Every structure is written in C-alpha cells, then in structure tokens.
Amino acid sequence: MARRRNLAASLGVWSAQHRKTAIFGWLLAVIALTVLGNMAGQKSLTEADYGTGESGRAARVLVDAGIKTPAPEMVLVHSDTLTTDSAAFRGAVADAVTAVRDTGITRDIGDPYKTGALGEDKHDALVQFAVKGDPDTAADRVQPVIDALDKAGKGHPDVTYGQYGAASGLKGINDSLGEDFSRAEFTAVPVALGILLVVFGALLAAVLPLVLALTACVAAMGLLSLTSQLVPVDGMTNSVLLLMGLAVGVDYCLFYIRREREERAAGQDKETALRVAAATSGRSVLISGLTVAVAMAGMFFSGLTVFEGFAIATIEVVLIAVLGSMTVLPAIMSVLGDRVGAGRIPGLRRKARVRTASDKPGRLLGAVLKAPALFAVVGIAAMLLLASPALSIKTEKLGPDQLLPADNVTAQTAKRIEKVFPGAPAPAQVVFTTDDITSPEATAAIAAFEQRALASGEVRKPIDVTVHKAANIAVINAPLAGDGRDAASVDALKTLRNDIVPATLAKAPGATAPVGGDLAFSTDYNDQLTSSIVPVFAFVMGVSFLLMLLCFRSLVIALTSIVLNLLSVGAAYGVMTAVFQKGWGDGLVGTTAVGAVESWMPLFVFVVLFGLSMDYHVFVVSRIQEAHGRGLDNRAAVAHGIRSTAGVVTSAGLIMVAVFAVFGTLSMQDFKQLGVGLAVAVLLDATLVRAALLPSVMVLLGRANWWLPRWLRWLPQLGHGEETATPLPAQGTPLPQAAPPAAPGASTTGAGATGAGATGAGATGRGAHARTAAPEDRVSAGR
C-alpha cells in the first residue's frame, strides 16, 4: 500500500534538523520584507479607486482629465447669544474669513453674507472654501488653517468656530486611526499574553506564540506594501491585518505547543513529541490556514478594490503565520526542548493527568447527551433570537462625522452643519462633459439645470459651478434636500439622476453628466455590495462545503457545518444591528449608535467568520470521526470528541475574542463594529455552537452523520500522510492526555497518536483496518 507524505510532518522534521537555517531564515525574511516594504511605501486607494457605478464613472472622468477638485472645507461660525445681523457676529465672520485667507493655502473663500449661507435661526453662518493643491494630500496640509482659526477664535468669546470638510475630516480620521492602531497594539498583546500565561502556566511558552505572531504581522505589512503597488489598499487595511495576524498567529502556535507538551506529558521522548506535534497540530494549522485563505479569497468577487486589498492583506498574514508555525516554531521548540516550560508561574502549573475512554462527560455535555433535542431546539432558538435584529439591518458608507467618536469636535461640527445647512457637508457632484463647454448650448444647459433643480425643491443653495475649459468639463456641486444621507436626500438624488439631469444637462450636444458625491458614492457602493453578496456567499459556502466533504466524506457533516456557521454569522449581524443601528446597549461598548452598519462590514464579517469557524469545526469533528472510526458508537464518539477538544477550543476562542474585543474598545466606529461583531460571533461559535449545538445535532443524526451517497464515493479524501491508526483502547483503558486546554489533533497513546482517515484506503466508518507502523511513523494528522 502506498504511503502518503504528511507535508506538515516533513516540514517540522526538516526544521528541527536544520534549526539555524529555519530560525535565521525566518528572521532574514522578516527583515528583508520590512526593508523592501518601507522602501516601496504603501500605495493607498484614491477616491476614484473606491468608486463604482455612476459615481465611480464621475470620479474616473475627472481623473482621466487630470482634474482634481480641491478639497472642500467649511467653517461654522456659531453663537448662542449673538445673531447674524449683529455687528459682533459680523466681525467674527470677517475675522474667520481673514484667518482662512491669510494662511495662503486656501482658495474660493465664500463670505456667507454674499453666498446666503446663513442659518434660519440667525445663530449660524457658514464660510466655505477649498484647500489648494492635491486633494489627496490636503489632510496633511490643513493644520495651518486649524491653527489660524483657533487663534482668531480667542478674540471672540461669544462665538465658536468649528471646521469640517474633506481635509479636516480625513485628518481627524487619520489621527484617530493612528491612536487606535497604537492602542490596539499595546492592549491586544498584553491581553493575549495574560491568556497564554493561564493556558501554559509558563512565561516562555506564553511569550513564544506572541513573538511569532507579531513577526508574522511585521513581515506581512512589508509584503503588503509591495503588493499595494499593484493593488492599492485602504488606510484601515493595516489594522485588519494586525487583527487577523494576532488572532490566527497566536492560535496556531497555541495548537502546536500544546500538542508537543501533551506528548511529553504522555511519556514521549523529545524528538517523537515534536514529530507527533508536527504531523497532527502542524497539519491542523496547514488546513486551517488554507481554509481561512480560501474564504478570504471570496472578497475578490465583490467587485470593489477596497475588498481586494482586505483579501490580499489577510491572505498574506495568514499564510505567513502558517509558514512560521510549521517551520520556525518546531525549530525553536527543538532548541528549547523542555526549557519551553521555563518561567513557571506559581499557581498556574499545568499537570498531566490520565483519562479513560469511559470517563463521564462534564455536566453541560452530559445534559446535552441526555436531552439532545431540547438543547438543539433551545440553541437554535437562541441563535435565531440574536440574529433577528438583522432583519432590519441598514448599511451605508459612513462619513467622517459618523466614524469619529460622538464627542469629537470635528464630528460635532459636522452634525451641526447638517442640521442648520442640510446637504452642505456632502453636496451631489455632477460632472458635466460636452463637445464645447463654453458653447451657448452648454451654458444654457447649466442655467436650465440650476433653475429646474432649485424649483424642484430637491436641491438647495448654493449651487457651485466650476468650468474647466481645456477639458470641456464643468463640475457642479448641488446641495441635496435632507441631511445628506437620510431618505429625503436619497429621494433627491434619484430625482437629480432620473429627472433633472436628463431634462437639462443631458440634452447638450455630446453631453454626459454622471452624478457623484458622498451620497451617490454610498448609494452606488451599497448597490454593488448587494449585487456581490450572492457570488461571494456562494463561493465561500461552496468551497467550505467541498472542503468538509473531502475532509469527512460525509454529505451530512458538510451540510451541518454550513448551517451552524450561518447561525454564528446571523448572530453577529443581529448584534451589530442592535448595538450600532438601534442603539441597544451602545453605551456598554462606549459609543453612540450612528443608525447604520458600515456598508462593507457584513460581507467582511461573513468571510472572516466562515474561515475561522471552519477551523474549530474541522478540529472538533475530526476527533469525533476518529473515535467513531475506531469503534465507539455515535453518542460515545461525540462525547469523546467534544471532551477531548473542549479545552483547546475554549483557549483558542478566548484569545480570538480578546483580540477582537480590544478593537471593539477603540474610538473609530468601524473598528468598534468589526471588533464587537467578530468577538460575539467567535464567542458563540466556541461555546454555544461547539459545546451544545454541534453535539446535540450529531447525536440526533446518529449514523446518518457519516452518510455518503454511492455516487459521491469516488471523491478523494484529504489523507493524513505518514501515520498509523491503532485500535481504540477498550472501555476503561487509560488514554494519556494533558489537562485542558487540550491541543488540537488526534488522541495520543503511549505508542503514538492516531488519526481518523489514516486507514489505508481512507475508509472512515467502523471496521477501518489499521496498519502497523515503524516508530518514526507513529504520528497522526489529528484533523
């Protein structure tokens, strides 16, 4: 019978035998990627790169013509006591205009007494202007205006100046991103370290996974800078990379080290223990990483460049973490040997203990096995209840004022401008092109547009028209009715696109007039996301189903895995909707509901959760399948598999929840939504789903769990390579195993480990025969 190689075992053995090459090779690779990445610099998305639909075409017309609209800015002059017709208020407005002009970096300054930008209650005036130069770098150059206004404001104690616009809003986001990124680094790492100290009870074993995860993140950021030259990335991509890198990197090392420690506790010599860990947990890491990477690839079907950047970043960091866990980790473990347990923490020392195949399950598992139908119904009902708010989910591209904390001065200024001057912060932008922009027909079309737009009541003053003669393009900024993002504004945008523009601008010779702007961008962005949901979901679920089918050769288990994962995703959607849209308990996570979920969040959360959930699912079901394939009946196999994996699933889940929860404490709204959504879903998946729903459903299904139609039996099985399957010890025979949290992989015996599916022809049901292996082959694949 041909023996199949276990890639993970081969890499682990090679690394242990070539320790210096593996360790120094890793360090050199990290340094090289970091240096090359810094030299190349990270290329960010431009406004046109984000676009899609009609708004994307409008942005692309301007880019192709070399036209960069200066970053628009506004200064809100407000007083609770003075009115706009008072001399003191007029003086404050005049000083604001002077302060803005004297910086020398502004243009097109509009005096509100000439533009009519005065509040109806006579307590507000709006000074509008633009920042000279490249709008993509305006955020880096707007500080002098902010400083000048602060200085001018000191001379008017009864008046306040508030600045908001494309430059100041982006500057506020960049500043918050920098602070959040630093806080995430300095918070997530200690939290993960604390959990690892509890898991291992030793300082060195706890620090090692963190060091490898962080070096993987550093290497991935360098690689991302290189790949961004081909596919530019969003500013949040680095944070997403760190989030995923820490979560999976630490988990992968946890699996590996725990298994090696268990084998040593079971009496194996150092070399054998490391070889078993490589073949079992190493293979688990490989399959998990590939599963997550494939799931992330689903984002390529979104049709949006920002998602392509997220996909590339997450795939890179996951694969680098997998490579590090399978190469440099076994090399370091080989160097350290039992010294990996150095730095024991008093009171946290983990002692090995022996379990038997007839061990009674814990209280929760025992209750689940006695009343599986009850727990299945209650568990599914609980998950559906958590998911129910998602039925009314509203998604939109959040603006700077929504992303920033509610108490942020910039965000407060934006909200005041929206209230007093609806549509001013985010006017619709019509890009009007024609054969001759200076022709009488074009001029008449623009005049007709202004007249019809204002008469409709859907567009408000001031309508600003900028003509670029050389390019035959006119850029028309038209403030919409409503607050710029509500239903009234959406209706106004539809009227503008479907009625006003076709009846006026579109009638000029050779004319095109796509409508852009913030609301148009958000609308088109959401439409594109909506249309991409089906292909993304179909790809991710289809590939996941196929992987489960190949892993377990069971149609039922493959279907069950999809359904359980969908429940976790639904619960995450429900919690995000309840907290961030409806405001239920928003104060508990330190935020104020913005009335919507960030438009890219549902798709991204779905992809991430499907990848991570499959990790736990494969690990747990593999142990159940292994026990069943070696003679236990279905109920006993379920009990054995859940009991054997409970510790490591809980530990790995806690680490992921902790890392994700740290992001939920950050100030930026999208970080909060991402962190809370992922933390809740992983927590539910690692506890309720794996501890109650999965065992109850598998017990109820009985022998049907392992059903594979005859017409599918030609499918190949994901074999376990060079390993052996030995008969399961009789009831009462000891099964050496470390105390929870257990490491992933197959159960181990004194002679080695065993793995489901390692049965020659790959049979997975009862009666699968075993072969005798040489000592060096006595390892299993675990998953």
Side-chain angles (χ1 to χ4, degrees):
M1 183 180 302
R3 288 164 54 184
R4 292 166 289 175
R5 291 181 60 82
N6 184 312
L7 177 60
S10 298
L11 283 175
V13 171
W14 180 91
S15 298
Q17 293 174 348
H18 302 82
R19 296 176 292 188
K20 291 183 179 180
T21 302
I23 294 173
F24 287 106
W26 173 261
L27 293 176
L28 287 175
V30 172
I31 294 172
L33 286 173
T34 302
V35 171
L36 291 174
N38 289 335
M39 291 175 60
Q42 192 173 99
K43 187 175 181 181
S44 299
L45 290 168
T46 65
E47 184 177 354
D49 292 327
Y50 285 98
T52 185
E54 185 174 337
S55 60
R57 293 197 300 274
R60 183 54 58 188
V61 168
L62 297 178
V63 170
D64 292 342
I67 297 173
K68 292 188 174 182
T69 304
E73 286 288 307
M74 293 165 284
V75 177
L76 177 68
V77 183
H78 171 77
S79 176
D80 291 330
T81 57
L82 302 177
T83 58
T84 54
D85 53 8
S86 68
F89 195 98
R90 285 178 175 271
V93 171
D95 286 350
V97 172
T98 300
V100 170
R101 180 183 296 112
D102 289 349
T103 61
I105 64 171
T106 61
R107 52 175 285 190
D108 304 329
I109 304 173
D111 187 328
Y113 290 99
K114 296 179 180 179
T115 63
L118 301 173
E120 292 183 2
D121 63 357
K122 295 186 176 182
H123 287 287
D124 299 272
L126 196 64
V127 179
Q128 296 171 292
F129 63 97
V131 179
K132 293 179 180 178
D134 188 347
D136 294 331
T137 61
D140 301 326
R141 297 179 286 102
V142 76
Q143 187 63 44
V145 180
I146 298 174
D147 295 338
L149 288 170
D150 286 341
K151 182 178 180 180
K154 295 178 181 178
H156 301 280
D158 295 329
V159 175
T160 59
Y161 294 153
Q163 184 175 345
Y164 176 70
S168 56
L170 182 57
K171 183 182 187 315
I173 289 179
N174 289 340
D175 291 344
S176 291
L177 277 174
E179 295 174 2
D180 281 351
F181 194 74
S182 298
R183 196 191 317 170
E185 288 179 306
F186 288 109
T187 305
V189 172
V191 169
L193 177 60
I195 296 174
L196 288 169
L197 284 173
V198 174
V199 171
F200 291 111
L203 182 61
L204 186 55
V207 169
L208 186 55
L210 275 178
V211 172
L212 287 177
L214 288 174
T215 55
C217 289
V218 171
M221 287 182 183
L223 181 59
L224 181 64
S225 294
L226 298 176
T227 56
S228 71
Q229 307 306 311
L230 299 175
V231 181
V233 297
D234 180 76
M236 191 179 173
T237 308
N238 283 334
S239 300
V240 171
L241 184 151
L242 176 65
L243 177 78
M244 292 297 299
L246 278 178
V248 301
V250 170
D251 269 9
Y252 292 163
C253 293
L254 168 66
F255 292 167
Y256 212 108
I257 297 174
R258 281 300 299 173
R259 185 53 184 264
E260 191 274 345
R261 292 290 82 198
E262 286 182 6
E263 292 300 323
R264 290 291 289 142
Q268 300 284 16
D269 60 75
K270 291 185 290 186
E271 292 183 358
T272 302
L274 190 58
R275 187 180 299 115
V276 171
T280 55
S281 291
R283 178 182 176 276
S284 298
V285 167
L286 177 61
I287 292 179
S288 172
L290 292 177
T291 302
V292 175
V294 169
M296 295 301 172
M299 287 187 281
F300 288 117
F301 291 88
S302 67
L304 295 169
T305 308
V306 64
F307 277 99
E308 293 178 2
F310 286 160
I312 291 173
T314 51
I315 289 173
E316 287 175 350
V317 74
V318 168
L319 293 183
I320 290 175
V322 168
L323 182 62
S325 299
M326 295 177 62
T327 56
V328 69
L329 180 58
I332 294 175
M333 294 286 290
S334 177
V335 172
L336 294 176
D338 290 337
R339 287 174 295 176
V340 74
R344 286 289 180 184
I345 309 298
L348 293 179
R349 183 177 179 86
R350 294 287 181 179
K351 295 182 179 180
R353 62 192 177 97
V354 177
R355 281 180 175 169
T356 67
S358 60
D359 274 350
K360 292 183 179 180
R363 291 184 179 180
L364 175 59
L365 182 57
V368 171
L369 296 176
K370 289 181 180 178
L374 175 63
F375 276 87
V377 171
V378 172
I380 293 174
M383 296 294 282
L384 291 177
L385 180 64
L386 287 172
S388 59
L391 294 174
S392 59
I393 189 171
K394 174 187 176 184
T395 61
E396 67 178 50
K397 191 73 175 69
L398 301 181
D401 58 308
Q402 294 171 295
L403 292 173
L404 293 169
D407 58 355
N408 182 278
V409 175
T410 302
Q412 292 176 343
T413 300
K415 287 180 173 61
R416 178 69 183 177
I417 294 175
E418 286 182 357
K419 180 180 179 181
V420 181
F421 303 98
Q429 185 180 74
V430 184
V431 180
F432 176 45
T433 67
T434 185
D435 296 336
D436 183 1
I437 200 66
T438 61
S439 67
E441 293 84 358
T443 302
I446 294 174
F449 170 84
E450 294 186 61
Q451 181 180 6
R452 189 178 183 107
L454 293 175
S456 70
E458 303 284 13
V459 176
R460 299 181 178 180
K461 292 182 179 180
I463 296 177
D464 177 68
V465 181
T466 303
V467 177
H468 302 273
K469 295 181 181 179
N472 283 321
I473 294 175
V475 178
I476 306 171
N477 289 318
L480 297 173
D483 63 9
R485 61 172 63 98
D486 60 7
S489 296
V490 173
D491 290 340
L493 176 65
K494 291 179 180 178
T495 300
L496 188 64
R497 283 179 164 177
N498 302 328
D499 178 23
I500 299 173
V501 169
T504 56
L505 299 176
K507 290 187 176 181
T512 63
V515 179
D518 288 354
L519 179 61
F521 170 82
S522 179
T523 301
D524 295 338
Y525 196 85
N526 274 339
D527 290 344
Q528 176 60 36
L529 283 174
T530 300
S531 65
S532 67
I533 283 179
V534 173
V536 172
F537 277 40
F539 174 81
V540 174
M541 289 192 294
V543 171
S544 298
F545 176 84
L546 182 60
L547 285 173
M548 294 302 101
L549 190 60
L550 294 177
C551 276
F552 302 110
R553 291 180 62 81
S554 166
L555 192 64
V556 175
I557 288 180
L559 290 172
T560 302
S561 66
I562 300 298
V563 173
L564 293 180
N565 284 353
L566 286 175
L567 288 175
S568 296
V569 172
Y573 286 176
V575 170
M576 287 192 295
T577 303
V579 175
F580 300 105
Q581 179 177 319
K582 300 180 181 295
W584 300 350
D586 54 354
L588 297 177
V589 294
T591 190
T592 301
V594 294
V597 174
E598 172 65 48
S599 56
W600 58 266
M601 200 66 63
L603 189 148
F604 183 78
V605 167
F606 168 80
V607 171
V608 171
L609 287 181
F610 241 79
L612 298 180
S613 295
M614 283 302 175
D615 175 25
Y616 296 139
H617 192 83
V618 171
F619 172 46
V620 176
V621 177
S622 290
R623 296 293 288 266
I624 296 173
Q625 184 193 43
E626 174 191 342
H628 183 266
R630 287 184 290 142
L632 290 182
D633 61 50
N634 184 72
R635 184 182 296 266
V638 170
H640 173 74
I642 298 296
R643 187 174 63 246
S644 300
T645 58
V648 73
V649 167
T650 301
S651 299
L654 281 177
I655 290 174
M656 282 198 178
V657 170
V659 173
F660 293 153
V662 165
F663 278 73
T665 65
L666 302 182
S667 61
M668 293 288 290
Q669 181 70 201
D670 44 5
F671 280 162
K672 283 188 176 295
Q673 294 187 5
L674 182 62
V676 170
L678 291 178
V680 168
V682 171
L683 179 63
L684 290 171
D685 193 77
T687 54
L688 177 60
V689 173
R690 304 306 158 196
L693 268 179
L694 177 62
S696 63
V697 170
M698 291 194 71
V699 168
L700 289 173
L701 290 172
R703 295 181 61 182
N705 283 309
W706 317 107
W707 176 68
L708 183 71
R710 290 182 178 275
W711 57 274
L712 285 178
R713 292 181 182 177
W714 59 270
L715 288 173
Q717 182 180 15
L718 295 181
H720 304 287
E722 295 179 352
E723 55 194 341
T724 184
T726 56
L728 189 71
Q731 298 287 330
T733 303
L735 282 173
Q737 191 170 31
S747 300
T748 61
T749 67
T754 59
T759 53
T764 59
R766 295 190 180 205
H769 71 276
R771 64 178 175 85
T772 302
E776 65 270 17
D777 290 333
R778 284 181 287 194
V779 294
S780 73
R783 298 200 339 175

